[in-house]
Amino acid sequence: MPNHTKEKELTVGFIGNPNCGKTTLFNAFTGANLKVANWPGVTVERVEGSTVYKGRTLRLIDLPGIYSLTSYSIEEKVSRKCIVEENIDVIINVVDASSLERNLYLTLQLLEMGKPVILALNMMDIVEERGMEIDLHRLPEMLGGIPVVPVSARKRSGLDVLLHAVLHHYEEGVGDRVVHYEPELEEAIARTETALKEQYGELTHSRWYAIKLLEQDEEIIQYYPKGAVSPEINYEKQIIHQKYNYIDEIIEDTLFHKDSKAQATDKVDQVLTHPVWGVPIFLGIMALVFFMTFTVGDFLKGYFETGLEIFSGAASSVLTSLGVAAWLRSLLVDGIIAGVGGILTFLPNIFILFLALAFLEDSGYMARVAYIMDGIMSMLGLSGKAFLPMVLGFGCTVPAVMATRALEKEKDRKRTILITPFMSCSARLPIYVLFADMFFGKYAMLAAYSLYLAGVLAAIGTALVLSRIDKERAEGTLLIELPEYKSPNARTIAIYVWEKVKDYLTKAGTTIFLASIILWFLLNFNFHGMTEQVSESFGAGIGRILEPILKPAGLGMWQIGVALISGISAKEVVVSSFSVLFGIGNINSAAGMTELSSMLSNVGFTGLNAYALMIFCLLYTPCVATIATIKKETHSVKWTLGMLLFQLVFAWLMAVLVYQIGGIFF
Amino acid sequence: MTLYEGNIGSVYVVKGIHLDQDTITRRLEALGLNEMTKLQIQNRKRGGAFIIKVRGTRLAIGKRIAQGIEVEEVKEDA
């Protein structure tokens, strides 16, 4: 029908508990390259995509996974605000059918909001596997007649039926009374509704607002502050209880053969969350992850290097034969290809690291880490949940900082944000790979491991000191859901890893590209124009200012000063700076390394200096992207600046310690 | 008794939740842990966190929370 295209675009909100497969389902529709993870707090911001069904454009919004519509956490506030204010036409409530009982609690709250709701019953395959049965006729009846559509996000089945339901159901609307509370409560709701209408006129979701007011919800009380409306007694407990009572009725009526089969997850958990072996197993898994990152990554890296060498050589000769001016050739070959290309050769290491992290996330193991590490984190005054952002920090600090949103208390968040940059992110990997390979020979991997360990120790030490200064602690307040283990989904992992690889490539193409050009300019120009003598360039001038400060750490070379400053744009740039600074085309190749290490050795730069440099790179100011994220998440310039100062001083102190103490022995 | 005194494998019914932080109480309730809810201890660490099963879901909860949940043991086949 031609008039379809003229119809209004529909806005569909995806909402559900954490781990219900909501984001996977969302991805199945939009193909958006989103991050899907298996613990709370992944969709920290809402994400949008769109799809066309039967000529109708549907705007899809993926909201953070939440358990209820209260306003206790950032995620809940984001979701709720979006539903109330964004004119969402239809809500797709994704539920994990294998854990229907808990998932329905959110459903009942959504129904109270009075917007059209469609229930997407996900993970029906697990339900069948376990020999459970769900009465698909009775369930919608008990939920006020809303459509209930079985889907499988992983197998991509039921998707069209779901969209069909969206188109049909959106016009029908829904009654807002599914749960009938006990008379006393219903009377209170009716009273509040009347009072609301008297003071604020006709409201669209008056029953919902009334219920929220009876729960003394902070945000809603702010919107409707008038005295007569806000009730004296807090009915929240009764409201929750009576909802769950109704859920008990639903489960009684619709779910059969509950838990008839033993669950594989319990057996796996007996091993992986073992009171004694849990921690060693986790450490073993992480060691394996990094072992793979270095060995398999290094193996693949060889091919990249050969490729880069050929490309660089070819580019140089083509440019020469085309008669391109010397300065432009220098910019392209010495600046851009050396800087950006050098970084690209580390892609295999990064790829393997993220592949491993994706595996851990998607299998359901990551949430267990919070439980396993809770004991150790308690000693630091934090809950085990704070460990998750730290593990994520091995990948990239930016999402790790955002993941701290899952922590309820502001103070815990800030503490965790402060220590997360100490976890060696993948951008620091190239620095370790390069310098460890150059100076530590067969002990290279050990040297690199030790830096990861040093980072973890720095984080733990900082947290420990903070917990001693400030006595208020969050220990023992861990509360996290442990999802079912599942075999990782190829599509989910592919999306996750591709997203990371894309980020890395984008960074190489933008930040590192720009940094390389700026660096090239600084190194080839001075006040008199272009110069042949690098040591007389702008860059050298800037670096020399830092020389005396860095000298006690064994880093008293102007080139290192320049490399470290450039490294703030992105940590990989430290490496690309070295290639540009020392004019080495392919820094990650055997030949390039020999060249650089002999250049450095000539000026007395030894393994000890290299180690001090790596320590400094590990601990000093994180990259611009991280700083911006931290500023955004803490809403405090002052706090962010304080953090930067702390990291700089700490890095300098540690590097000096390493160099001075090491100097006694070596 | 409190949940903290419970044993692995045993089933308990919640008698009350007494925590100094109301937000955690509400959160537990939203997760389906209310008075009269049955739960089973799946795993625990000495002096540390617990894994419990409530309404078909596994929750990891810290020591302090476990100490604030009042429970009564029920016989498995009840």
Side-chain angles (χ1 to χ4, degrees):
Chain A
M1 279 175 279
N3 64 337
H4 264 312
T5 43
K6 288 183 209 134
E7 283 179 82
K8 175 180 160 284
E9 183 183 81
L10 280 184
T11 306
V12 183
F14 281 68
I15 190 160
N17 285 183
N19 310 313
C20 68
K22 178 174 55 66
T23 303
T24 314
L25 186 66
F26 181 82
N27 281 349
F29 282 118
T30 60
N33 301 322
L34 295 172
K35 186 166 160 10
V36 190
N38 211 355
W39 77 77
V42 174
T43 315
V44 279
E45 296 282 358
R46 63 200 194 116
V47 183
E48 285 192 34
S50 70
T51 188
V52 177
Y53 181 73
K54 294 205 169 159
R56 186 107 188 215
T57 309
L58 304 173
R59 190 163 76 105
L60 308 179
I61 301 179
D62 187 25
L63 293 163
I66 51 172
Y67 294 109
S68 69
L69 284 176
T70 42
S71 54
Y72 293 131
S73 73
I74 302 173
E75 285 102 336
E76 288 177 354
K77 284 181 193 161
V78 169
S79 296
R80 205 165 81 171
K81 200 170 161 218
C82 187
I83 298 173
V84 178
E85 291 172 12
E86 289 272 330
N87 302 321
I88 285 191
D89 298 303
V90 183
I91 296 170
I92 291 185
N93 176 206
V94 187
V95 304
D96 172 358
S98 69
S99 151
L100 195 58
E101 211 174 328
R102 198 213 49 230
N103 278 255
L104 282 178
Y105 179 67
L106 180 66
T107 310
L108 292 185
Q109 295 182 78
L110 289 171
L111 289 172
E112 265 166 5
M113 296 185 84
K115 293 225 175 179
V117 175
I118 291 163
L119 202 69
L121 270 186
N122 198 12
M123 310 208 185
M124 285 298 279
D125 38 343
I126 298 177
V127 172
E128 278 162 31
E129 240 169 65
R130 286 204 210 138
M132 288 151 60
E133 277 176 57
I134 295 175
D135 186 337
L136 291 176
H137 292 284
R138 187 67 185 130
L139 184 60
E141 275 174 24
M142 296 195 77
L143 294 174
I146 62 165
V148 173
V149 183
V151 296
S152 170
R154 292 158 85 82
K155 291 180 188 157
R156 304 163 67 78
S157 66
L159 302 185
D160 280 350
V161 184
L162 194 59
L163 289 188
H164 194 76
V166 168
L167 289 196
H168 272 262
H169 192 60
Y170 116 88
E171 282 149 5
E172 285 168 26
V174 70
D176 55 6
R177 197 157 313 183
V178 172
V179 185
H180 294 268
Y181 296 99
E182 283 165 14
E184 185 209 349
L185 198 50
E186 282 293 347
E187 274 164 33
I189 295 171
R191 263 202 317 275
T192 316
E193 257 187 281
T194 319
L196 264 176
K197 281 177 188 161
E198 272 170 18
Q199 286 180 337
Y200 299 97
E202 207 56 43
L203 288 169
T204 31
H205 311 295
S206 60
R207 183 176 165 86
W208 186 70
Y209 286 123
I211 292 172
K212 283 289 144 191
L213 283 172
L214 290 172
E215 288 177 357
Q216 296 191 342
D217 185 281
E218 274 175 34
E219 276 195 350
I220 304 296
I221 287 181
Q222 274 175 16
Y223 285 134
Y224 301 104
K226 292 202 181 158
V229 174
S230 21
E232 312 286 297
I233 319 161
N234 189 340
Y235 283 96
E236 188 171 14
K237 196 172 171 142
Q238 284 97 307
I239 293 171
I240 295 175
H241 282 224
Q242 290 176 30
K243 276 206 186 87
Y244 265 107
N245 287 343
Y246 187 61
I247 291 173
D248 285 341
E249 275 177 47
I250 298 177
I251 295 298
E252 186 74 18
D253 254 30
T254 61
L255 189 68
F256 304 101
H257 314 300
K258 207 172 148 188
D259 282 347
S260 60
K261 269 188 199 164
Q263 294 174 17
T265 294
D266 292 338
K267 286 180 194 146
V268 179
D269 261 346
Q270 275 175 12
V271 180
L272 292 184
T273 63
H274 190 275
V276 178
W277 298 113
V279 175
I281 290 174
F282 167 66
L283 295 178
I285 290 175
M286 286 321 285
L288 188 71
V289 167
F290 291 116
F291 178 76
M292 300 258 291
T293 304
F294 294 128
T295 52
V296 184
D298 277 353
F299 169 73
L300 293 171
K301 206 173 67 184
Y303 297 101
F304 274 72
E305 282 156 14
T306 321
L308 180 67
E309 241 163 88
I310 295 170
F311 180 73
S312 174
S316 185
S317 53
V318 166
L319 289 172
T320 316
S321 68
L322 286 175
V324 171
W327 69 268
L328 184 58
R329 211 168 60 221
S330 160
L331 171 66
L332 288 172
V333 178
D334 305 332
I336 295 168
I337 297 180
V340 177
I343 289 308
L344 288 182
T345 59
F346 293 97
L347 194 60
N349 300 91
I350 309 275
F351 171 77
I352 300 283
L353 176 67
F354 280 114
L355 189 67
L357 286 179
F359 243 82
L360 292 184
E361 281 186 35
D362 200 41
S363 64
Y365 180 67
M366 213 58 125
R368 266 83 185 172
V369 174
Y371 167 77
I372 295 166
M373 297 304 285
D374 188 60
I376 293 170
M377 295 303 282
S378 279
M379 288 183 234
L380 309 176
L382 289 165
S383 107
K385 223 168 163 180
F387 197 74
L388 299 183
M390 291 170 67
V391 178
L392 269 187
F394 284 133
C396 174
T397 318
V398 172
V401 166
M402 301 213 291
T404 59
R405 288 183 171 198
L407 301 171
E408 285 87 6
K409 283 171 74 185
E410 192 58 29
K411 204 172 254 175
D412 301 344
R413 275 197 78 199
K414 280 193 175 157
R415 270 187 208 173
T416 313
I417 288 175
L418 185 67
I419 60 177
T420 301
F422 290 145
M423 308 303 281
S424 275
C425 70
S426 60
R428 279 168 267 190
L429 191 65
I431 305 176
Y432 306 157
V433 172
L434 178 71
F435 284 93
D437 269 357
M438 271 195 313
F439 288 95
F440 296 95
K442 59 179 173 172
Y443 301 112
M445 206 196 302
L446 212 62
Y449 271 144
S450 74
L451 282 153
Y452 276 90
L453 197 65
V456 175
L457 290 178
I460 290 176
T462 308
L464 194 66
V465 170
L466 286 177
S467 78
R468 289 292 173 271
I469 296 172
D470 183 352
K471 294 292 177 203
E472 198 192 316
R473 323 171 93 202
E475 63 192 45
T477 54
L478 173 71
L479 179 54
I480 190 172
E481 186 199 348
L482 305 181
E484 296 278 321
Y485 286 112
K486 53 183 179 153
S487 52
N489 177 265
R491 189 182 153 87
T492 306
I493 291 197
I495 288 178
Y496 178 95
V497 174
W498 167 236
E499 183 74 5
K500 297 298 172 188
V501 167
K502 205 175 70 184
D503 278 354
Y504 189 76
L505 292 176
T506 314
K507 192 156 71 166
T510 53
T511 315
I512 297 173
F513 177 77
L514 268 175
S516 300
I517 292 178
I518 294 172
L519 198 65
W520 176 85
F521 173 79
L522 286 176
L523 294 176
N524 287 284
F525 285 84
N526 60 19
F527 289 113
H528 312 292
M530 199 165 172
T531 167
E532 283 295 308
Q533 288 297 320
V534 177
S535 56
E536 284 162 17
S537 64
F538 287 129
I542 300 168
R544 284 209 186 86
I545 302 172
L546 290 175
E547 256 182 26
I549 304 171
L550 291 170
K551 202 165 172 48
L555 306 175
M557 290 167 70
W558 68 264
Q559 289 96 332
I560 292 177
V562 174
L564 290 176
I565 294 178
S566 343
I568 297 176
S569 60
K571 291 278 171 103
E572 299 96 330
V573 174
V574 172
V575 168
S576 54
S577 304
F578 269 90
S579 22
V580 178
L581 280 159
F582 292 92
I584 293 159
N586 191 354
I587 201 163
N588 202 14
S589 67
M593 281 191 204
T594 322
E595 204 183 331
L596 179 59
S597 81
S598 66
M599 278 174 154
L600 287 169
S601 301
N602 285 343
V603 289
F605 191 91
T606 64
L608 185 59
N609 302 67
Y611 202 78
L613 176 67
M614 290 193 281
I615 286 283
F616 193 88
C617 288
L618 162 69
L619 301 173
Y620 88 119
T621 315
C623 68
V624 196
T626 304
I627 299 173
T629 311
I630 290 177
K631 205 247 121 204
K632 198 170 139 224
E633 293 293 314
T634 58
H635 307 292
S636 168
V637 179
K638 213 172 95 190
W639 194 89
T640 310
L641 287 176
M643 180 198 74
L644 296 182
L645 188 69
F646 161 70
Q647 284 157 338
L648 266 180
V649 173
F650 187 60
W652 183 82
L653 277 176
M654 287 301 139
V656 169
L657 273 180
V658 164
Y659 186 66
Q660 297 300 337
I661 295 176
I664 301 170
F665 298 102
F666 301 106
Chain B
M1 66 183 285
T2 68
L3 181 62
Y4 189 66
E5 300 158 64
N7 301 311
I8 295 179
S10 302
V11 179
Y12 300 88
V13 62
V14 178
K15 287 287 161 189
I17 302 173
H18 318 283
L19 292 165
D20 34 322
Q21 273 173 278
D22 256 6
T23 46
I24 299 183
T25 311
R26 298 287 164 260
R27 202 154 269 277
L28 283 170
E29 287 170 344
L31 284 163
L33 198 90
N34 300 294
E35 273 164 45
M36 301 311 290
T37 306
K38 268 200 224 169
L39 59 88
Q40 186 182 28
I41 300 181
Q42 298 279 97
N43 208 341
R44 62 169 299 180
K45 276 196 278 193
R46 207 157 21 90
F50 281 65
I51 297 180
I52 57 170
K53 207 178 212 174
V54 187
R55 297 183 191 265
T57 352
R58 282 170 207 81
L59 298 179
I61 58 173
K63 176 180 168 179
R64 276 237 293 263
I65 297 180
Q67 285 169 334
I69 300 176
E70 195 188 322
V71 294
E72 192 171 275
E73 187 162 0
V74 286
K75 290 288 155 264
E76 178 71 316
D77 45 45

